[in-house]
Amino acid sequence: MTSMPMLDVRDLRVEFPGRHGSVTALDGVSLTIAAGEILGVVGESGAGKSMTGLAVQGLLEPPGHIAGGEVWLDGRRIDTLSEREMQHVRGREIGAIFQDPLTSLNPLFSVGRQLIETIRLHLPLGRAEARQRAIALLAEVGIPGPEERVDHYPHQFSGGMRQRVVIALALAARPKLIIADEPTTALDVSIQAQITSLLRKLCKEHGTAVMLVTHDMGVIAETADRVAVMYAGRLVEIGPVADVIARPSHPYTRGLMGSIPTLGARVPRLQQIDGSMPRLDAIPKGCAFNPRCPHVMPRCQTERPELRPSGSGLSACWLNTQAQERAA
Amino acid sequence: MIVFLIKRLANAALVMLVVALMAFMIFRFVGDPIQLMVNEQTSQAERDALRERLGLNESVVMQYLRFVGNAVQGDFGISYRNQQEVMSLIAERFPATIELVLMATIISLVVGVPLGVITAIHRRKWYSEALQFVSIIGVSLPSFVIGILLILVFSVMLNIAPAFGRGDVVSIGWWTTGLLTPSGRAALILPSIALSFYQITLVMRLVRAEMLEVLRSDFIKFARARGVPAWRVHYSHALRNCLMPVVTMTAMNIGSLIAFALITETVFQWPGMGLLFIQAVTFVDIPVMAAYLCIVSFIFVALNTLVDITYALIDPRLRNSKA
């Protein structure tokens, strides 16, 4: 991964001004995704996974806004673009897949109309050409009989099929980056695997970078190349998926892994992380995880750890720093 | 579907029978009709003959049944005041009221829908707050006040629109229309605005509430994430999803607009059914009053039934509920 990353997020900070001062929803998030790479983003609800995706797309709900950092897409800075310019980035360069395929399609327009709308917004095609492309896209995402299905309405499709339509919409203009926010959470388990493998196949074929936001480590393990773990609006660990799963470096990641049931393995009791994630307006000083961490040290309560190399990835924990310092 | 249809129609028929009963009661109990029809020199024999001829000596039930039977055939008797067939009197006035009501409906949609969208999208802007405030005034001001204000400003002070009457009308068969003559169109302006004022505020508030709801939905966020421009997200994707209740309310309200028209017609001396009714009240012209009551109720009931049936057609869940 020596080439320039497709998506480069640097020290991103998102704030929500409120009555009682500003709430920092994202704090110092830095990550990169290369072309053709799938980065999984995991964490508990409210850890800032979806927020990261929305911030990259410029779709933060006001009064939320990017308060610091930079977002670069294919060598171009996009967080400073105007709303009008962002309209051409969204859909054209960044495709989106939402969580619930039952609600993300407009119920009153046929899927063909929604596809053609997206295609013609971003590509210089006539109506007939756009329709041909819409049919080709439906075929590509594995919808049988696309010539007929193109004129059907969303309610005539099953959940899995609708998610395929949503993927077709995300792919409509061959974007450089796809942000998939919990794309399989609302689907049956049997359909989940189909959708993730479809996503993976299309991403590899077209060299599209994918940010796969999910709380499901299983999906990440099957689909992603690298994984970023988020906690309380901060990145705690990022690295190749096999390494992070096999040898999690951050105590929080270890806790996450320990709470996943495995088939075959006879574990007497699943591990759990005690307590819950802090509210964003009451993040503890130092490391945000320190009140729940089994290895907490005095330093963790005062100083915030930075992301440092650990194994093949990066991890933000004083334990690693300590180990490295000892080794040095 | 057929069971549903029969149920709705039976329901409507029942309501109409009750209304007819009330109209009939007016006949019976607002004085003796014979007394109202004859003069003082009429002998008792002549009175009895008239009573016999009009069937007023039969039992109440028989009279009611005959009243309903005649009403179904469009026969509401003869007006006491100008000795004309009540039905032809009403038919003469009907087009005027319908034109006024339709015009008011169109105005309320053309003005109310965009205002609703704008106040929903820019709901924190000062002009949205101002419009919300004005709309409260619109809801609470009685329509005769608005009518009189409009006459004062546009007819008396600015002298740009006629204050009363219907202007010149053209007959197309039994229908008369003011839409084809300049004076007819000019005469329509003020009354239709006065009548639509309340509707505008209703439509605006309804569209606003629906828009706020729809704008929160996922498919709107997804449309934005696909790069659909804001105006298109609002006016095509979101608005279209708001229209069902707007259409319903508009259809239902045509009935109440006809009832409201009574006041507006009086203020503007608009020769419609409402004005006819007011004149009938002043002269105790009972057949006209009864006919007006029946016809307005019929329009109400018919619109409601139609809306119910349309709902069932649009929403498959309503259709299949019997299965």
Side-chain angles (χ1 to χ4, degrees):
Chain A
M1 246 168 295
T2 45
S3 63
M4 192 179 61
M6 190 56 88
L7 177 72
D8 189 355
V9 176
R10 297 176 193 164
D11 205 21
L12 187 66
R13 184 181 171 86
V14 167
E15 287 180 1
F16 279 77
R19 245 170 276 160
H20 313 290
S22 235
V23 170
T24 306
L26 287 184
D27 194 356
V29 172
S30 296
L31 49 85
T32 60
I33 311 178
E37 184 187 41
I38 301 179
L39 174 74
V41 180
V42 278
E44 286 167 78
S45 307
K49 310 172 304 241
S50 302
M51 192 71 69
T52 310
L54 290 175
V56 169
Q57 294 173 86
L59 284 178
L60 291 171
E61 291 277 338
H65 63 278
I66 295 179
E70 296 170 7
V71 180
W72 293 75
L73 181 70
D74 199 19
R76 175 179 173 215
R77 189 165 174 190
I78 59 169
D79 60 306
T80 48
L81 294 182
S82 70
E83 174 59 27
R84 183 171 288 271
E85 290 168 305
M86 271 316 278
Q87 264 168 27
H88 297 293
V89 173
R90 288 197 289 266
R92 176 77 191 87
E93 294 178 59
I94 304 178
I97 299 171
F98 278 26
Q99 174 170 356
D100 191 351
L102 301 187
T103 56
S104 43
L105 297 170
N106 190 330
L108 299 185
F109 295 150
S110 69
V111 300
R113 181 162 169 189
Q114 299 185 52
L115 275 164
I116 292 167
E117 177 185 40
T118 315
I119 293 166
R120 296 199 65 197
L121 275 169
H122 302 299
L123 303 175
L125 294 180
R127 188 161 289 279
E129 293 169 296
R131 191 182 156 84
Q132 282 313 306
R133 191 176 164 86
I135 293 171
L137 278 164
L138 290 179
E140 190 174 3
V141 295
I143 287 178
E147 292 87 359
E148 288 158 44
R149 295 299 254 165
V150 72
D151 292 318
H152 286 193
Y153 286 83
H155 72 266
Q156 293 166 300
F157 291 81
S158 68
M161 282 296 156
R162 273 191 243 187
Q163 196 62 305
R164 288 173 191 263
V165 172
V166 170
I167 293 175
L169 276 164
L171 288 173
R174 290 273 174 270
K176 297 166 180 163
L177 170 71
I178 287 181
I179 295 178
D181 192 349
E182 305 272 7
T184 58
T185 308
L187 300 175
D188 286 348
V189 179
S190 53
I191 311 287
Q192 282 185 5
Q194 291 177 14
I195 295 294
T196 48
S197 62
L198 173 70
L199 199 59
R200 190 171 169 84
K201 177 180 133 246
L202 293 173
C203 151
K204 298 299 168 193
E205 276 174 17
H206 300 301
T208 316
V210 176
M211 182 190 286
L212 177 66
V213 174
T214 178
H215 65 273
D216 187 339
M217 277 310 290
V219 170
I220 298 271
E222 281 166 30
T223 321
D225 300 305
R226 285 191 307 137
V227 58
V229 183
M230 293 190 73
Y231 185 80
R234 299 168 182 184
L235 216 55
V236 294
E237 181 163 3
I238 182 167
V241 76
D243 292 350
V244 173
I245 288 176
R247 290 178 296 281
S249 144
H250 197 282
Y252 176 65
T253 319
R254 245 173 274 158
L256 266 189
M257 298 305 154
S259 59
I260 304 167
T262 1
L263 279 179
R266 286 241 165 254
V267 185
R269 202 185 158 88
L270 282 179
Q271 218 180 317
Q272 64 177 34
I273 311 174
D274 291 327
S276 59
M277 206 174 63
R279 285 163 44 119
L280 290 176
D281 55 359
I283 294 174
K285 229 168 111 74
C287 174
F289 187 59
N290 83 65
R292 300 169 75 187
C293 184
H295 311 288
V296 62
M297 303 178 290
R299 194 178 188 182
C300 302
Q301 288 162 350
T302 51
E303 267 181 277
R304 181 177 161 184
E306 296 298 321
L307 277 173
R308 298 256 180 117
S310 157
S312 54
L314 301 170
S315 164
C317 179
W318 290 124
L319 278 179
N320 305 319
T321 319
Q322 205 178 33
Q324 281 161 13
E325 278 164 1
R326 222 174 272 148
Chain B
M1 188 66 197
I2 290 166
V3 175
F4 172 81
L5 212 66
I6 292 170
K7 259 193 210 160
R8 291 304 312 160
L9 289 177
N11 213 328
L14 189 68
V15 172
M16 281 316 295
L17 277 178
V18 172
V19 169
L21 181 63
M22 288 170 69
F24 171 73
M25 300 290 245
I26 300 178
F27 262 119
R28 288 283 302 175
F29 297 111
V30 183
D32 182 358
I34 300 293
Q35 207 62 263
L36 290 162
M37 286 164 91
V38 297
N39 58 30
E40 278 157 25
Q41 277 87 37
T42 320
S43 72
Q44 189 59 41
E46 281 171 318
R47 287 175 192 225
D48 288 345
L50 187 59
R51 197 176 292 276
E52 178 82 24
R53 189 156 65 85
L54 293 178
L56 291 177
N57 50 358
E58 289 176 45
S59 74
V60 177
V61 177
M62 278 309 292
Q63 287 187 44
Y64 171 61
L65 288 180
R66 191 168 49 237
F67 173 78
V68 171
N70 287 341
V72 167
Q73 293 162 37
D75 179 7
F76 285 97
I78 291 165
S79 161
Y80 295 165
R81 190 167 70 94
N82 32 17
Q83 301 296 320
Q84 274 179 281
E85 286 256 347
V86 171
M87 211 48 213
S88 67
L89 267 180
I90 287 188
E92 214 170 84
R93 304 298 193 94
F94 187 68
T97 296
I98 290 302
E99 277 183 10
L100 178 62
V101 165
L102 286 186
M103 200 58 188
T105 304
I106 292 168
I107 293 175
S108 68
L109 289 179
V110 167
V111 179
V113 171
L115 283 185
V117 175
I118 290 167
T119 49
I121 300 170
H122 308 289
R123 89 194 128 103
R124 287 182 217 284
K125 297 275 169 57
W126 63 268
Y127 49 79
S128 299
E129 308 270 350
L131 275 171
Q132 278 290 98
F133 182 72
V134 170
S135 76
I136 297 172
I137 300 178
V139 171
S140 42
L141 264 191
S143 61
F144 66 88
V145 174
I146 294 166
I148 289 167
L149 282 177
L150 284 174
I151 291 177
L152 182 68
V153 174
F154 292 100
S155 304
V156 179
M157 286 158 71
L158 299 174
N159 197 22
I160 49 176
F164 63 87
R166 209 186 161 196
D168 300 324
V169 293
V170 178
S171 299
I172 305 168
W174 62 275
W175 189 273
T176 57
T177 178
L179 293 174
L180 298 176
T181 61
S183 71
R185 282 193 292 264
L188 191 56
I189 298 171
L190 290 188
S192 53
I193 291 177
L195 188 58
S196 66
F197 213 81
Y198 180 74
Q199 288 292 309
I200 291 175
T201 58
L202 272 189
V203 171
M204 180 187 123
R205 290 174 152 256
L206 182 66
V207 170
R208 184 186 119 93
E210 289 289 322
M211 278 291 281
L212 288 178
E213 187 73 35
V214 172
L215 285 178
R216 272 198 293 271
S217 60
D218 275 354
F219 66 85
I220 291 301
K221 288 179 195 154
F222 188 56
R224 289 189 63 202
R226 284 191 280 133
V228 179
W231 62 268
R232 196 152 159 178
V233 169
H234 296 143
Y235 285 90
S236 171
H237 287 265
L239 181 57
R240 193 132 157 198
N241 277 279
C242 302
L243 285 185
M244 265 273 282
V246 175
V247 170
T248 317
M249 193 204 71
T250 308
M252 299 262 234
N253 270 9
I254 286 181
S256 40
L257 272 181
I258 290 175
F260 266 115
L262 194 146
I263 297 163
T264 312
E265 284 178 5
T266 313
V267 172
F268 289 95
Q269 290 296 298
W270 185 264
M273 293 195 300
L275 197 59
L276 182 73
F277 177 74
I278 294 288
Q279 286 160 353
V281 169
T282 357
F283 289 93
V284 203
D285 197 344
I286 292 166
V288 174
M289 286 159 65
Y292 179 83
L293 182 63
C294 288
I295 286 172
V296 170
S297 315
F298 177 75
I299 294 172
F300 256 97
V301 170
L303 283 171
N304 268 300
T305 309
L306 265 181
V307 165
D308 279 353
I309 293 170
T310 319
Y311 256 3
L313 286 177
I314 293 173
D315 194 334
R317 282 169 303 180
L318 287 175
R319 232 180 299 158
N320 296 337
S321 60
K322 68 179 165 67

